[in-house]
Structures are given as C-alpha cells and as structure tokens.
Amino acid sequence: MLPTSILVAVLFYLAATLLQWQVLQGQKRPTRNLIRGLGLCGVIVHALAVYLVVHQGTGLNLGFFSVGSQISWLLAALVLLSSSRQQIDNLFIGVFPVAIITLVTATLDPDTSLHRNYGPGLIAHILLSILAYSIFTLATLQALLLWRQNTALKQHHTRGLVASLPPLQTMERLLFEMLWTGIILLSASLISGFIFVDDFFAQHLIHKTTLSILAWFVYAILLAGHSLLGWRSLRAIRWTIGGFVALMLAFFGSKLVIEFLLPG
C-alpha cells in the first residue's frame, strides 16, 4: 500500500493535470491560480516523499527509481516556477503525470542494495548532475513545444495549443536561457566529478563520463552557433534533442545497465 504522502501528492498532481487538460481543450476555464496552487501542493508533498525515499537507515538511496523521482520533482518545481513569468502552463500536462509515475515506482521499488553513505563532495556532484539533467529535460520539452509552434504557424494554425503559447521569439529566448543554465550546471557537475569521484573513467563509469562529455560538446556547439552564427529555430531544436539523448543515455542508460542488467 502506498504511503499517505504519496497518495496525497498523486491526487494534487492528477487534479492539476485534468484541469489543465480542460483548459487546453477549451472545455472549461478554471482559474490559473487554482491549477498552479494544486501543482504547488503536489510539489510540496512530493518533496516530503522524496526525502523519505532517499534517506534510509542504511544510507542514501540513489538508485534508478529514486533518482527518477528526484528529477521529476525538480522538473515539476522548475516548470511551476517558470510558469509564473512565462505562459508554459501546458507543460503541466506532461510533467505532472511523469512525476506521478516516478513517485509511485520509487516508493514500490524494494531494492536496498544501493543504499550508501556519501561524502559532501560526492553529494555535491550528484546534486549538480540532477540539477543539470532536470534543466536540460525542461529545455527539451521547451524545444518540442517550439517545434510544434513553428510547424503550426507555418501551416497557419493559430488555435489550440499554439494560441496559449508566448510569441515564437519569446519561446526561443526561454529555450536558450535554459540551455545556458544547463551547460553551466553540467560543467560544474563534470568538474566536481573529476575532483571527487575516485576514478571518473573506471570501467563502470566510462560510458556515463564519455556520454556526458559528448552531451556537453553538443550543447556548447549549439550555444556557440547561436551566439556567433545566429542558429535558431529547427536547427536549435535538433541540437537540443540530440544533446538530451546523449545525456539521457549517460544518466539513466548507465544506471539501468549497472543496476538491472549487470547487478553485483
């Protein structure tokens, strides 16, 4: 049976998602503050649930599902915060259900083999990695929205989702703000990894390290191309998604192999 905190967070997220879906479909116009308020309650209770899942008597639980729940919580919080200054509320429809799924799976996962005690430097590296991944996830969602908006405008479709989004230039500016924030955090994560991880290129870390560095170069090239050559629109979207694929394989691909395919 799921703990009470999990059930409460799920109900808040679900209510916010359904109301936002009604807004998108034009079926109902609930107040924006109500939806954001429900989402905020979900994020607060989710934070408590994450704390209980991560902090175990045998050490910190930073397994596959636990980290997934942490990232989804941070992603929900970031989208909620960003929605206060940009019209990106429709992202709730994708972010909140993901938070529900990861929250439930992290709670039901019984594995305790990866509960460990970590030093302050390693914890800082892990937190920076989670922050960077969350920001780039948000940037990828933003890129997908930008792609949908760009396609709809070319086809002269200005209703539905497109009508609820900010102007194209604002969407692009927000995307690159996220990318700059993400690459700063990813750079700090890689530097802290070289400093605090005993062997950053050990056999069980080589794929994660290599793919993370590859993702860093993809994002760095994109940002340089945008600053120096004016890259934008579809080219920016493709590079953003390409960098995210490399980062996703680094972050979750390596954990999936180590924890499930090559246990022990």
Side-chain angles (χ1 to χ4, degrees):
M1 184 175 178
L2 293 175
T4 302
S5 60
I6 308 297
L7 291 174
V8 172
V10 167
L11 288 175
F12 279 128
Y13 280 143
L14 189 59
T17 303
L18 291 175
L19 289 177
Q20 189 61 45
W21 178 258
Q22 290 178 340
V23 171
L24 180 61
Q25 296 299 310
Q27 300 172 358
K28 188 179 179 182
R29 300 299 298 181
T31 63
R32 186 166 180 253
N33 287 338
L34 173 61
I35 298 174
R36 296 181 71 247
L38 289 169
L40 177 60
C41 290
V43 166
I44 292 172
V45 182
H46 190 168
L48 172 62
V50 165
Y51 179 86
L52 295 175
V53 168
V54 172
H55 291 80
Q56 305 288 332
T58 54
L60 297 180
N61 175 11
L62 295 177
F64 184 88
F65 294 110
S66 174
V67 170
S69 183
Q70 294 169 55
I71 289 175
S72 70
W73 168 77
L74 187 57
L75 187 59
L78 288 171
V79 171
L80 198 61
L81 181 63
S82 299
S83 69
S84 64
R85 61 188 189 93
Q86 300 289 346
Q87 289 285 347
I88 57 172
D89 295 25
N90 285 326
L91 286 179
F92 295 158
I93 296 173
V95 170
F96 289 162
V98 170
I100 292 173
I101 294 170
T102 58
L103 187 55
V104 172
T105 54
T107 306
L108 296 179
D109 177 29
D111 185 24
T112 60
S113 61
L114 294 171
H115 296 182
R116 301 172 185 169
N117 292 311
Y118 298 86
L122 198 53
I123 290 177
H125 165 68
I126 293 170
L127 289 176
L128 286 168
S129 299
I130 290 174
L131 279 169
Y133 187 87
S134 300
I135 292 293
F136 280 127
T137 301
L138 186 55
T140 303
L141 291 173
Q142 179 73 4
L144 292 173
L145 273 180
L146 185 59
W147 170 78
R148 180 69 185 89
Q149 184 181 26
N150 190 59
T151 302
L153 289 175
K154 286 182 177 180
Q155 297 174 350
H156 305 290
H157 295 162
T158 57
R159 296 182 179 180
L161 176 63
V162 175
S164 66
L165 295 175
L168 199 63
Q169 293 81 2
T170 303
M171 292 286 286
E172 285 188 348
R173 177 176 55 79
L174 184 58
L175 171 62
F176 282 100
E177 286 178 0
M178 294 175 185
L179 291 173
W180 275 112
T181 303
I183 199 168
I184 291 171
L185 290 168
L186 182 57
S187 300
S189 170
L190 290 171
I191 292 171
S192 63
F194 281 111
I195 296 173
F196 295 112
V197 177
D198 290 336
D199 189 350
F200 207 39
F201 288 95
Q203 184 175 1
H204 66 291
L205 292 176
I206 184 64
H207 295 94
K208 179 179 181 179
T209 303
T210 302
L211 286 168
S212 296
I213 293 174
L214 174 62
W216 186 94
F217 274 107
V218 170
Y219 289 124
I221 292 171
L222 169 58
L223 290 170
H226 174 67
S227 299
L228 301 176
L229 303 175
W231 288 6
R232 53 193 292 270
S233 196
L234 292 179
R235 178 173 291 177
I237 293 169
R238 294 190 191 102
W239 280 77
T240 299
I241 295 174
F244 180 73
V245 169
L247 199 60
M248 181 176 62
L249 291 174
F251 208 84
F252 279 111
S254 59
K255 291 186 75 66
L256 181 66
V257 171
I258 292 172
E259 296 180 25
F260 297 98
L261 301 182
L262 299 173

